[in-house]
Each structure stands twice: as structure tokens, then as C-alpha cells.
Amino acid sequence: MGKKILVTGGTGYIGSHTVVELQQAGYEVVIVDNLSNSSADVLEGITRITGKRPIFDKLDCADAEAMNALFKKHNFDGIIHFAASKAVGESVQKPLMYYRNNLVSLINLLELMPKYNVKGIVFSSSCTVYGEPDANPIDENALIKPAESPYGNTKQINEEIIQDFVHSGAPIKSIILRYFNPIGAHPSAEIGELPIGVPQNLVPYITQTGIGIRKQLSVFGDDYNTPDGSCIRDFINVVDLAKAHVISIDRMLGGKSEQPVEIFNLGTGTGLSVLELIKVFEEVSGKPLNYKIVSRREGDIEQIWAQPDRANNVLGWKAKETIEDTMASAWKWQQRLKEKGVM
Ligand code: NAD
Ligand code: WQD
């Protein structure tokens, strides 16, 4: 029997892809999710890919008692903590909800780890902790700027909570992964991103426009100081991203961490503009996309892409998928949703 990993938020977008990779690497997975932003149907997709149904418990990580009972029942070797509220705009409207959910969930897990002898936790952080970079690509030593949203602040505070706890002598290790812009879906199209309501993020908006659910994509600004005037991001394939979690778990639980807390950027190292990404979509889907340029979206970063050398050299992880294959996977997923009548 492989090592047992608790995956919080495991029915969510990045969590579900990571569960697949963990199972395929021989780990036993227990998912907890409160289904606030996902559906238990995802478990069917995971099972169709791996042939093995992960254990699932519908639980809220912010519920300390329920989490204690869960830890008592299972002998976890490690944790990957995805569960969080993640909508930047909503966090401005409901800051206390964001602080409660994202901070209390992590604190509960950290308190339980020494009690039940759980050795390591991988934490989902974000390039949002960097704010607007002074220079690109940006590496892990860059200054952390004041957060631009309550959501971003929860990621900064979560990182600090982990650092403080480990430095207090807690017998745990942590790997903090700062994701850039995760996109795409599993190549099987059995799992993918399932935004509830109108998508806030670019790629689901593009694919929903392509398939006719949305009339037109609004491109937020073409007057930025970039070659084509649109914003630049580092779009990272979600399966590549998921694989970095398996490598991180192997490393931590295998006693190979060089520091009790290690931080890695997860990106491709290449910046792509919004307009360039639209072109890639048009190529792989074979159809023009209906879009128009509108004014800038408040709070957007002009340009950011990762310096991924540390993840490449220390973790031995590298983004492999091309942007064409990644956009094709997002498109295939969108078409599958239509076939199934989900959207
Ligand atoms: P997601 O919303 O698809 O997945 C998060 C899952 O956590 C959802 O299934 C939700 O139901 C669950 N959840 C939320 N609060 C919970 C709680 N208290 N208890 C149990 N389950 C809870 O989001 P995602 O895109 O897969 O993101 C995963 C993680 O990665 C999050 O921590 C997010 O902040 C972080 N992240 C995401 C991105 C991105 O662009 N998707 C970028 C950087 C970082
Ligand atoms: C990308 C680009 C938009 C939608 C967010 C969070 C960040 C991280 C990743 C969690 C921007 C443009 C978008 C649209 C557009 N998440 N755009 N029309 O803002 O880079 O990052 O997700 O940690 O914290 O802030 O991602 O996909 O929303 O936008 O023109 O309808 O696409 O202006 O330039 P973003 P995004």
C-alpha cells in the first residue's frame, strides 16, 4: 500500500488533476472538499482515468472537530492543501469569509499535523503574492508587495503562518508552490475546470465564447506597456502543475528537503499576451473568436512571468506541454461538457 495523502480541495480544478497524478504514482489518496466550488461528479472522471476511486469525505477544513476526527481515522503521511476560496473580486466583497476560510483551514491542518505525526504539507500559493513585478521573469527572492486583494493577502499570511510555525520548532516540513496562471485540462477530457457562473478567468471565458455560451470575450485593455498592448501572463498547463505536487510530496516525505520550508515558482518561464493566447485558441479550434477590446480591469497586473529555475534545478520539474496542446485540451474539455449537456 502506498503512502496516504490527504488532498484538501481535491474535487477542485487543480486538486482533481493532482489526485490523478498521485494515484498514478502509487499514492493512496483521501480527498476532503466541502463542494463549495466543485461537484462530487469529478470523482467519476478521476476514477475513469485511473481505474481507482479515491476516498472522499465531504468536510469543511475550517471545521476543527471534523478535521480532528478525519485525522484520527486515517494515518496520513502527508497533505496537499488546495482548499481555499479563490475569487479575487469576491474577496473584496466578502473579506471576512475569505480570511476565515483560507486562514482557519490552514491553521486547523497545521495544529493537527504534529498531533497525528503527519510529516509534510504542500501549500497552494500564487504569483499574486508578488503584485506588479519590478522586473520579469520574477524569482522567489523578489520582494513581496502589499497584497492587492483580501484573497492575495490570505496567500501572503498563509505563507507566513507556515514559516512561523516551522520556525517555532514544529516537527513538520512544508513546500510552498507559487502557481502562475494554471490553464487547460486533462488530455482525456475526463476532468477540467468547471467554473460556476460567469467565468472570471481568461481561458474558460475564451472556450465558453468559442462554444457559444458567451457572446463575446472582452479583452481588458490594449494600452498596456507591452508589445501588443495587452497584459502578459505565464500560462501553465494544469497537468504539468499537478506533477510538481507529486514531486514535492516525494521530496518532503523522502527526507530530501534542503530546508524545512521550501518555496518554488511554478510557471513555464515564458510570458504570453492575452491577444497571443487568443490567436493560439483560434489556431487550435480552427475558428475565429468573437472578442472586443474594452477598458482595463481594475487591479490587473500589467505583466508577470516566472523565473522557474529553482523548480527546474532543485525539484527537477519542468513545464513540458506546449501552449497549443494546452489550449487544445481546454477546448476539448469545453466540447465534452457540451456533449454531456453540463454547459
Ligand atoms: P477550486 O475552487 O477549483 O478548488 C478549490 C476546492 O476547495 C474547491 O473544490 C472547493 O469546493 C474547496 N474548498 C474551498 N474551501 C473549502 C473548505 N473550507 N473546506 C473544504 N473544501 C473547500 O480552485 P483551484 O483553481 O483548483 O485552486 C486550488 C488552490 O490553488 C487554491 O488554494 C487557490 O487559491 C490556489 N491557486 C489557484 C490558482 C488558479 O488560477 N486556479 C492560481 C494560484 C493559486
Ligand atoms: C488573465 C488576463 C485579464 C478575463 C488570477 C488571480 C491570480 C491567480 C490566477 C489565484 C488578464 C485578461 C481575463 C477576461 C480578459 N489566481 N482577461 N478578459 O488576473 O492573471 O490572475 O488568476 O491565485 O491571483 O488574480 O487571471 O485569467 O483573470 O486574467 O481580458 O474576460 O486575461 O485582464 O490580463 P489573472 P485571469
Side-chain angles (χ1 to χ4, degrees), residues 229-256:
S230 66
C231 291
I232 295 177
R233 295 291 182 272
D234 186 332
F235 298 100
I236 172 77
N237 179 285
V238 69
V239 176
D240 276 340
L241 194 69
K243 288 180 176 158
H245 294 75
V246 180
I247 295 173
S248 298
I249 278 285
D250 288 347
R251 177 179 174 84
M252 257 186 340
L253 302 186
K256 297 197 189 90

Side-chain angles (χ1 to χ4, degrees), residues 102-162:
N102 294 3
L103 302 188
V104 176
S105 295
L106 176 69
I107 292 169
N108 284 344
L109 292 171
L110 294 178
E111 278 181 343
L112 289 165
M113 289 178 70
K115 188 171 166 191
Y116 291 99
N117 199 22
V118 185
K119 299 270 187 284
I121 182 165
V122 176
F123 176 70
S124 299
S125 190
S126 167
C127 67
T128 193
V129 301
Y130 297 122
E132 182 82 56
D134 295 325
N136 279 300
I138 190 153
D139 71 27
E140 294 85 348
N141 298 319
L143 201 71
I144 300 299
K145 304 241 177 93
E148 283 166 10
S149 69
Y151 166 73
N153 207 19
T154 68
K155 292 296 174 193
Q156 293 191 3
I157 299 169
N158 274 324
E159 289 199 7
E160 286 170 2
I161 289 173
I162 291 171

Side-chain angles (χ1 to χ4, degrees), residues 39-50 53-54 190-191:
S39 153
D41 294 346
V42 169
L43 298 168
E44 311 306 327
I46 293 173
T47 310
R48 279 195 292 272
I49 298 170
T50 65
R53 201 182 173 83
E190 293 288 358
I191 55 173

Side-chain angles (χ1 to χ4, degrees), residues 8-15 32-38 59-62 81-86 101-102 105 123-127 151 155 179-182 193 201:
T8 75
T11 48
Y13 173 44
I14 306 168
V32 302
D33 201 299
N34 64 2
L35 303 182
S36 57
N37 198 38
S38 58
L59 281 186
D60 194 319
C61 297
H81 182 40
F82 293 104
S85 304
K86 66 158 184 178
N101 197 30
N102 294 3
S105 295
F123 176 70
S124 299
S125 190
S126 167
C127 67
Y151 166 73
K155 292 296 174 193
Y179 316 149
F180 281 65
N181 286 57
E193 194 169 6
N201 295 114

